[in-house]
Structure formats: structure tokens, C-alpha cells
């Protein structure tokens, strides 16, 4: 599929990694990772927040099927989504912080706005 980045992993590994990173971002507010991973995490986080803004039962089940911690899903519906009520997207921000020391991979901080 031409829209997704493979990130050098199999489908299952990639999906598990993104689920974990999205959950961690929603839990802590910001994470440090590579730029390409940050872009994928941003896209999925935006989708989760958009689902949570609707707030009906079906959307809750969709979010719970993706987010790995129940407490984080509850926080998403109770605190995070209502804070973006008047906003039409753009819930995350990616800030490039330069190359990683070991392999010179371009690093970034992704955070909730």
C-alpha cells in the first residue's frame, strides 16, 4: 500500500510498535524517536483523538482495540479529546532535534499540542 512506511519491520512488528508508541504518547504527552516513526505515530495519534472526540460507544471500542492500556483510553476520552474540542486536527507537533549519536538517524520529539 503506497501510503504507509514499512520502517524495516514485518507488518505485525510494525503494528505492535506503532500501537505501543501511540499509547505512550497519549500517556506521557511527548516522546523522542526518529523522524519517520514520529510521522507515522502522529498520523495514528490524530486518528485516535478524532475518534475520541466523537465519543460514542462504537468509537470507544475502536480506540480500545488500538490503544494498549485501558487507563490511557479512559484518559483520552475524559481529558485529552475534550481539550481539543474547538480544533479541527493538528493535535501533534514534530520538532526535529538533529542526528542520533550512534547511527546519525534524524531524531525528533513528537508531542501533543
Amino acid at each position: 500500500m503506497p501510503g504507509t512506511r514499512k520502517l524495516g519491520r514485518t507488518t505485525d512488528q510494525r503494528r505492535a510498535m506503532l500501537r505501543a508508541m501511540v499509547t505512550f504518547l497519549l500517556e506521557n504527552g511527548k516522546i523522542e524517536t526518529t523522524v519517520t516513526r514520529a510521522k507515522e505515530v502522529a498520523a495514528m495519534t490524530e486518528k485516535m483523538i478524532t475518534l475520541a472526540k466523537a465519543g460514542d460507544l462504537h468509537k470507544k471500542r475502536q480506540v480500545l482495540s488500538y490503544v494498549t492500556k485501558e487507563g490511557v483510553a479512559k484518559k483520552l476520552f475524559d481529558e485529552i479529546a475534550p481539550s481539543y474540542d474547538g480544533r479541527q486536527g493538528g493535535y501533534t507537533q514534530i520538532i526535529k532535534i538533529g542526528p542520533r549519536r550512534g547511527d546519525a538517524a534524524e531524531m525528533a520529539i513528537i508531542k501533543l499540542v
Side-chain angles (χ1 to χ4, degrees), residues 31-73:
I31 53 176
E32 184 176 322
T33 183
T34 62
V35 173
T36 49
R37 284 184 186 176
K39 288 178 181 177
E40 284 297 305
V41 170
M44 285 312 300
T45 304
E46 303 261 341
K47 286 178 185 161
M48 291 300 117
I49 293 172
T50 303
L51 286 173
K53 280 173 67 175
D56 59 355
L57 181 61
H58 180 60
K59 305 290 190 231
K60 282 184 182 174
R61 287 181 176 160
Q62 285 179 313
V63 168
L64 279 166
S65 73
Y66 193 83
V67 174
T68 58
K69 294 182 182 175
E70 240 178 90
V72 175

Side-chain angles (χ1 to χ4, degrees), residues 90-107:
Y91 313 119
T92 57
Q93 181 179 24
I94 298 174
I95 303 163
K96 293 182 181 177
I97 57 172
R100 182 163 52 195
R101 188 179 166 110
D103 60 357
E106 191 66 32
M107 296 298 287

